[in-house]
Amino acid sequence: MMDRLVVSAESVLNFAPHIVFRFDEVRKRWIILAPERLMLPDEQAVEILQLVDGKTGVSGIVDSLAARYSQAPRDLIAKDVTAMLQDLADKGCLAGAGPG
């Protein structure tokens, strides 16, 4: 069994090789395509996933969102972002792209 990817502030993530995250013209919304699965992320998840690029660490993603949504406390954003990314990592949608 593969070791569980634990998402932290230092984690640099990318979509797993078998995952496609794209805008679906038919549905007019962002989708995550996996073998035998289709996931429909909500608006908040899409904003986070658009920042997953294999270069930016989770803390950088949180910084970007905190700047965009200055009314929300950074620690709350960090908690929510980390939890959502961990859930997708546990489902095999995300992989580590670097140290972390």
Side-chain angles (χ1 to χ4, degrees), residues 14 16 21 46 48 56:
N14 214 340
F21 174 63
V46 167
I48 295 165
T56 306

Side-chain angles (χ1 to χ4, degrees), residues 28-87:
K28 299 291 183 213
R29 65 178 296 169
W30 285 88
I31 61 170
I32 300 172
L33 277 175
E36 308 296 321
R37 283 195 305 188
L38 169 69
M39 291 175 260
L40 303 171
D42 64 22
E43 253 181 74
Q44 290 83 6
V46 167
E47 289 204 44
I48 295 165
L49 292 172
Q50 286 175 329
L51 298 172
V52 171
D53 60 6
K55 298 181 207 84
T56 306
V58 171
S59 62
I61 291 172
V62 171
D63 288 344
S64 178
L65 293 168
R68 201 179 304 169
Y69 301 102
S70 55
Q71 73 281 7
R74 187 189 187 284
D75 59 337
L76 180 65
I77 292 171
K79 184 175 163 254
D80 290 347
V81 166
T82 303
M84 192 216 80
L85 293 174
Q86 183 67 64
D87 182 54

